[in-house]
Amino acid sequence: MSISASAVLVELNISVWPASKIDRETTDRVNSDAFAVSNASQTKKNLFAGTGLRKDIEKFAARVRLYHNLNTLPWADKGERLAPTKIFMEYKTAMNTFESQFGAMCNNFFAEYPRLVAEAPTNLGKLFKAEDYPPLDEVRCKFGFRRSTNPLSDAGDFRLDIPAQDLVEIQAAYEEKFNERLAEAMKAPWDRLHKMLTGISEKLTDDTDEDSDVPKKRYYDSLITNPLELCELLTKLNVTNDPKLEEARRQLEVTMLSTDIERIKEDADTRSSVKSKVDAILGKFEW
């Protein structure tokens, strides 16, 4: 099956107004009082100190970007990423929900904006300057949630009205770049799996007090659930159907399904056994 049938290109751009300003007068005074040069420090003021409405939008945008990055693979240096078709409908549904939530949060901020500006002199004191707060219409333009989806074209799909030799050269160059990007994209799931395995191995290395058999480390359900969630995701991110990646993924899945967190907490032999299986996976494949 062509890779173009296994994935699409998606792009996400979320903009959030930083709403911060460098206070030149305070900066100059601080540096002068410290007998420091003019660029030794900067005083940056939060225009909405005292409220979390704008900050909550910023945090939400960060969570959406994280979801986007975890459920897609790198493609271009910036912008477009590879979304496997196996996960695309789930991804699309999540993004629709995120976009709606983002819009609702922004609309709430816009509705509260006049009040927030009115309260700013109290919250910022002498740092307040009315000119730092643009009209609401300008503020609206500082927030945005933009995304796009495009098909992934194979080199053979080119239809250009140019001489045959030039077309062959363009196709060859595109195919070379395409293959480089695909190889780079498939490093991502391998890297995630490697990071998970090494983390489990380190966590299961007992570090006890000299006079106690009780491990210093604490173990949580996430030691089991996080690897299993990754294993499920990797079945969808493996757009090239790499058999070695599937084998490594499956071995980790079987290992984590065969134990439970209570046995890991209470039994050093269980920890040692799980660690040995994880280390065997790390030693079997080329990372």
Side-chain angles (χ1 to χ4, degrees), residues 222-236:
S222 57
L223 184 65
I224 304 292
T225 58
N226 286 353
L228 291 177
E229 288 174 2
L230 176 63
C231 286
E232 181 181 0
L233 180 60
L234 289 178
T235 63
K236 303 169 184 175

Side-chain angles (χ1 to χ4, degrees), residues 22-45 124-129:
I22 295 174
D23 191 286
R24 303 294 181 185
E25 294 175 2
T26 304
T27 294
D28 291 342
R29 184 169 62 254
V30 168
N31 290 329
S32 177
D33 290 346
F35 302 101
V37 296
S38 60
N39 61 350
S41 68
Q42 287 184 336
T43 299
K44 184 176 289 188
K45 55 185 177 182
L124 272 71
K126 293 181 179 181
L127 294 176
F128 174 79
K129 290 183 179 180

Side-chain angles (χ1 to χ4, degrees), residues 64-181:
V64 176
R65 293 188 192 101
L66 178 61
Y67 174 88
H68 171 73
N69 289 336
L70 288 176
N71 288 276
T72 59
L73 299 170
W75 188 250
D77 293 336
K78 293 182 180 179
E80 290 182 318
R81 291 176 65 87
L82 207 62
T85 52
K86 289 181 180 179
I87 202 175
F88 179 69
M89 291 310 299
E90 177 184 336
Y91 168 88
K92 180 182 178 182
T93 299
M95 281 296 163
N96 287 341
T97 301
F98 292 149
E99 185 171 8
S100 177
Q101 292 174 334
F102 181 86
M105 294 177 75
C106 288
N107 287 335
N108 184 45
F109 176 75
F110 300 151
E112 294 292 325
Y113 184 71
R115 178 183 64 81
L116 298 176
V117 174
E119 293 176 352
T122 300
N123 293 328
L124 272 71
K126 293 181 179 181
L127 294 176
F128 174 79
K129 290 183 179 180
E131 59 267 29
D132 291 335
Y133 298 85
L136 181 56
D137 286 345
E138 291 184 22
V139 172
R140 291 179 183 274
C141 296
K142 296 178 183 293
F143 295 81
F145 193 112
R146 294 168 292 276
R147 55 197 174 104
S148 64
T149 303
N150 292 298
L152 182 63
S153 299
D154 291 326
D157 290 338
F158 281 137
R159 295 175 178 85
L160 301 175
D161 186 17
I162 62 176
Q165 182 58 41
D166 291 334
L167 180 59
V168 169
E169 292 178 3
I170 292 174
Q171 288 177 325
Y174 178 84
E175 186 170 357
E176 181 180 1
K177 186 64 175 180
F178 182 96
N179 290 333
E180 288 176 0
R181 286 181 172 177

Side-chain angles (χ1 to χ4, degrees), residues 189-247:
W190 276 105
D191 289 344
R192 291 190 201 180
L193 183 56
H194 183 263
K195 183 178 180 180
M196 181 66 71
L197 289 164
T198 54
I200 296 171
S201 180
E202 291 170 3
K203 187 67 175 177
L204 293 178
T205 302
D206 279 346
D207 183 14
T208 59
D209 294 320
E210 293 182 1
D211 300 325
S212 173
D213 292 330
V214 179
K216 295 179 181 178
K217 297 177 180 177
R218 295 185 178 183
Y219 300 97
Y220 302 97
D221 290 344
S222 57
L223 184 65
I224 304 292
T225 58
N226 286 353
L228 291 177
E229 288 174 2
L230 176 63
C231 286
E232 181 181 0
L233 180 60
L234 289 178
T235 63
K236 303 169 184 175
L237 294 183
N238 189 1
V239 294
T240 60
N241 295 317
D242 183 345
K244 291 185 177 179
L245 177 60
E246 170 58 20
E247 181 183 359

